[in-house]
Structures are given as structure tokens and as C-alpha cells.
Amino acid sequence: MDSSVLPARKRVLVTGGAGFLGSHLCERLLAGGAEVLCADNYFTGRRSNIAPLLGHPRFEAMRHDVTFPLYVEVDEIYNLACPASPVHYQFDPVQTIKTSVIGAVNTLGLAKRTKAKIFQASTSEVYGDPETHPQVETYRGSVNPIGPRACYDEGKRAAETLFFDYHRQHRVRIKVARIFNTYGPRMLPNDGRVVSNFIVQALTGQPITIYGDGGQTRSFCYVDDLIEGFVRLMDAPDAVTGPVNLGNPHEITVAELARHILDITGSRSELIRRPLPADDPMQRCPDITQARTALNWEPRVPLREGLTRTIAYFDHLLSAKATLSAEELGEVAPAEAPEVRMEHSGVRLV
Ligand code: NAD
Ligand code: UDP
Ligand code: UDP
């Protein structure tokens, strides 16, 4: 058939497309009519996350590690490849920083050659343990460059530098989003993040593990809201490069989060205290003025509603436990922060 008569479809690469956020993004892009290529090394991503998409005529999945070059022809790139939970990114810190830095070089090289627009999933962790509150994009952050979180924080900071240098030096069209804590269906039950830990603990009657005194704050964004922000940023005029904060400014303490989850699940799990992990930020809340004005975006799903949907997802997952494979069964247990495990084993972090 003469390809010139076919409608031109946007070809989009999603690295990390089999992960929590990536799989929701692939779905959303397919619904918008794009051709989607998902590239993932399945470190923390799951084939089951993209299984429903595999039969889709505009979807393709490939096993690929972003620390290696990739030659494909695309119009847009969403670079999400990187483990996001402290338990996972501290499992192999050297691979984590390589993924952020070399992964950025390779995807930027690809964007430069193909003239594709490129989106970077950066993070609120670039602000470290922030001294200003809420965090605005102009705040330069307070990050410990040699601590246990540095492989992630500093890797993401270096990736931002690369994005802006490729933009200035090679005119690559960049879109940098600083993502704040996001939750929703398809988080892994064992990835150690607070929302998945508390929900799994509440549903299985295990104690809820509060690290520190539970007074530290976070601001939780429901996944559908975040993905809408990604697409709006990508579709915004080229002058909108970011970095732009994407997150929900509704800030609560970790102890309050536990109370909401106990209340919604009706669980009688007790609350127990565990040591606060090293370099755990005490407060975090996005200033989303830029996203509101430049993208006309703000989160719509209230916390209780998003938690209710997420709890329904985990409830279904846990009740399907009998049919899970051994690999999946191993995943249905909350994980402790690596620093907490180290303290238990007598290793002290200074
Ligand atoms: P996730 O762990 O579910 O997804 C990351 C995906 O990247 C996984 O599918 C994993 O297999 C893949 N991956 C990891 N290393 C790779 C490599 N070297 N090559 C190819 N693929 C690789 O995490 P997520 O929550 O979906 O996060 C997605 C992105 O968003 C990450 O870059 C993360 O840093 C960023 N982010 C997420 C949050 C959040 O709250 N979820 C907050 C801030 C930033
Ligand atoms: N690269 C890639 N796909 C491409 C083009 C480049 O993976 O389509 C990688 C390649 O590994 C290269 C890196 O991106 O090393 C950076 O590319 P750039 O053109 O900026 O640098 P150079 O090739 O000149 O080192
Ligand atoms: N946290 C907790 N109990 C848990 C898991 C996490 O109290 O079982 C705390 C953690 O110390 C941090 C907050 O919850 O203060 C958010 O942790 P998460 O790992 O989800 O995200 P991040 O620290 O990367 O923002």
C-alpha cells in the first residue's frame, strides 16, 4: 500500500514503559492515537503491567536497557526508565546512577538525531531535604551527594543538567517534569513505598510501620492526574521546557496517611515505630503555580478517592494470591527501607 495515503501517526518511545507510571502512560498514549514503543529492562517493571496492551496494533514492547544505545525512529520520547522506590534504587546504586546519567545521554542522543521532543521524568528528590517550603522550581535543593539516596537524587540532577545542555548546545526540544510522590494501581506491593506498604499491611492485618515519629510530610498525587500532566507538558509549546513541578499540593503527615488507610480499609492493624531512614526528607510539598499557568493543569482526584481506588486494586491482587506464580508471591510482602534493614543487622550509617 502507498504509505503516503496513510494518516501520519505520532511515534512515541516510552522508556521504563512496563513500570508503574510507564504502563499508565502507554495506555494513555494509545488512547490518544499514537504508535507506542515501550523499552524496558524489567528490573522493576512487569510484563503483566503491559500484558493487556500486547495485542494492540499500535503497541510494541522491547527488552532494552537504556544504558545501551538505541536506534529507532520516533517523534517523541518519554524517558521514565529508572527504579523509583528507595528499596529498589539502593539495591544496585551504581546501576541506578548509570541508568539516570548514561540513559539520559543515550535518549538525548536519540532525540538529537531524530529531532524528537524528549520528556524527562525528574523528581522532587532533586530538592533533597528542602529548606524552603513548599518547593518552587527555582529552589536549588539540599542534597547529600554521598548519602544512600544520592545515586538517585544526584543521578536525576545530572540528567537535568544533560537535558539543559543538549537543549542549549544542540537545540534539542526538552520537557523536564519534577514529579512528586505518586500512587495508584500497579504500584508493586513489595517496593517499600509508604502507600503500598501501609495498604498491604492494613489489608493483611500486619502492623503499620511508621518510620520515625510519623510527623514527616509528603503530598500524594493520584496516577491519572500525573499522567495528564505529562501529556500536557509534552504538548505545550517548545518554549515550555520546565523544569516544572507535577504533584498534588495536598500535604499530610505519614501518620495521617496511616489513619486514612486504616479508616478506609476498616483494618485493626496496630501502628508500630521503626527507625527513620538516613536522609529521609522531613517535608515535601509542590508549588504548582507554573503547572497551573503554563499547562492549565492541576490534580483532580482527592486523596480519599485515590486511596479507595488503590486499596481496591491491592485487595484484588491479594485475593488472587492463590493463583500467583512463585515470583509474584515473593512480591506480595511489604519491604523495609534498606537503611532500616541495615540498622537491624548492626550496620550503622553515619
Ligand atoms: P517503576 O520502578 O515502576 O518504573 C521504572 C521502570 O524503569 C521499570 O519498568 C523498570 O524496569 C525500568 N528500568 C529501570 N532501569 C532501567 C534501565 N536501565 N533500562 C530500561 N528500563 C529500566 O517506577 P515509577 O514509579 O513508574 O517511576 C517512573 C519514573 O518516574 C522514574 O524515572 C522515577 O524516577 C520517576 N518518578 C516517580 C515518582 C513516583 O512517585 N512514582 C516520583 C518521582 C519520580
Ligand atoms: N545514541 C543513541 N541513538 C541514536 C543516537 C545516539 O542511542 O539514535 C546514543 C549514542 O550512544 C551516543 C549518545 O546517544 O553515544 C549521545 O549521542 P550524541 O550524538 O550526543 O553524541 P556522540 O555520538 O557524538 O558521542
Ligand atoms: N515510610 C514509612 N513507613 C513505610 C514506608 C515509608 O513511614 O513503611 C515513610 C518514609 O520514611 C518517608 C515517607 O514514608 O518519610 C515516604 O516514603 P516513600 O519511600 O514512599 O517515598 P520518598 O521517601 O521517596 O518520598
Side-chain angles (χ1 to χ4, degrees), residues 64 68-73 102 104-114 166 170:
H64 173 74
F68 294 93
L70 177 64
Y71 286 82
V72 289
E73 305 311 313
I102 305 174
V105 170
N106 285 332
T107 48
L108 284 161
L110 173 62
K112 182 181 135 196
R113 182 182 61 76
T114 58
Y166 267 80
H170 299 303

Side-chain angles (χ1 to χ4, degrees), residues 202-221:
L203 289 175
T204 56
Q206 298 171 69
I208 307 272
T209 51
I210 308 258
Y211 299 164
D213 66 4
Q216 69 271 38
T217 68
R218 293 293 187 272
S219 310
F220 298 97
C221 186

